[in-house]
Amino acid sequence: MTSDTLFAILTGDLIGSTRASQKRVEHTMNLLSGGLPPGIRWDGWTAANVRFTRHRGDGWQMLAPEPDLALRWAVTLLAGLRADPQALGTRISIGIGTITSRGTEDLRDASGPVFEASGRGLDAMRRDETLFMMGGETGHSASETPRLAGAVKASVMLIDERIARWSPEQAEATAYFLHPSAPPATEIARRLSITPQAVSYRLKGAGARTLKDALSALEHDWRETWSRPE
């Protein structure tokens, strides 16, 4: 593993877990442990590859197989939870940086600047935020945790605000729509057992097309500047 290879770690905690039943907490954790919402698959994004690790009852971490897709992944996870009436919400902090060790069986004994970035990001989040990104603010060198441009942070804030407005139906359609392979509306309609017109209506209400274009633009820049894991 080269010292300048960047990774993305998602650190999160469930929202309202202390007031929720243990059944809902476990249901939400089971959904997250799959790496993606039920019925959605991305090439290479298996449960084994994301190394889901649970911490302190309602906390969790995962590793993004492709760091430039980490924000898209986080939005998809939030959409999947929002679409499930039995699931709790979660806060997600995305840390970008290098890894010293990926750990053994999971991330419990993993280490590196990226974990510090992700953890500090979660600590810095306001109570009304569900999405955050952290990079060079940890004080590490630029090669260890790259500083994120103000435009990136602004984009994440706007995405977070948009997610909060989604209905469960809009969230469900958006989770499928954000797939990196860009499935057509007819395929999403088949999976959801609704008409393509209903899919288009839900995506329009969610602002999903603009969201996807924004994510693609950010990912293009990140692919140009970040060294990817091997």
Side-chain angles (χ1 to χ4, degrees):
M1 184 183 311
T2 60
S3 60
D4 62 346
T5 299
L6 295 177
F7 292 80
I9 291 292
L10 273 57
T11 300
D13 56 16
L14 303 188
I15 298 171
S17 61
T18 57
R19 300 183 302 275
S21 67
Q22 191 62 28
K23 182 178 180 180
R24 290 191 70 190
V25 171
E26 295 304 321
H27 175 68
T28 307
M29 284 296 187
N30 285 337
L31 291 176
L32 289 168
S33 68
L36 285 163
I40 297 177
R41 297 290 180 269
W42 294 7
D43 289 344
W45 294 68
T46 63
N49 287 345
V50 302
R51 301 173 72 81
F52 175 85
T53 305
R54 186 170 178 174
H55 296 291
R56 301 184 306 277
D58 68 350
W60 57 271
Q61 280 189 323
M62 285 193 278
L63 167 71
E66 299 176 58
D68 45 287
L69 294 178
L71 181 55
R72 182 187 296 255
W73 181 33
V75 174
T76 300
L77 290 172
L78 290 172
L81 295 182
R82 199 168 183 86
D84 188 327
Q86 299 304 315
L88 298 173
T90 188
R91 301 191 304 162
I92 299 178
S93 169
I94 306 168
I96 305 297
T98 56
I99 281 181
T100 304
S101 169
R102 298 195 203 196
T104 50
E105 294 182 359
D106 55 27
L107 300 175
R108 295 178 196 277
D109 55 345
S111 61
V114 67
F115 293 96
E116 183 179 344
S118 187
R120 284 196 184 184
L122 189 67
D123 291 340
M125 292 176 70
R126 300 191 311 265
R127 293 183 65 181
D128 62 336
E129 289 180 307
T130 61
L131 192 59
F132 197 83
M133 285 190 79
M134 176 73 83
E137 297 84 350
T138 57
H140 290 280
S141 68
S143 64
E144 293 175 313
T145 51
R147 182 166 293 277
L148 301 177
V152 171
K153 293 192 173 185
S155 297
V156 173
M157 292 170 66
L158 291 172
I159 291 170
D160 191 19
E161 192 274 340
R162 168 61 70 174
I163 291 172
R165 297 169 179 248
W166 286 346
S167 69
E169 294 78 14
Q170 290 171 343
E172 183 180 44
T174 301
Y176 280 92
F177 182 69
L178 291 181
H179 194 291
S181 69
T186 52
E187 174 62 18
I188 299 175
R190 184 186 68 79
R191 290 180 175 271
L192 298 182
S193 299
I194 59 177
T195 66
Q197 291 77 12
V199 170
S200 296
Y201 180 78
R202 293 179 185 184
L203 294 177
K204 182 177 180 179
R209 298 186 188 282
T210 301
L211 169 61
K212 192 169 190 175
D213 288 345
L215 289 170
S216 295
L218 290 169
E219 291 159 3
H220 177 269
D221 288 345
W222 292 334
R223 280 193 294 270
E224 294 293 314
T225 56
W226 292 354
S227 299
R228 294 158 64 96
E230 298 179 357

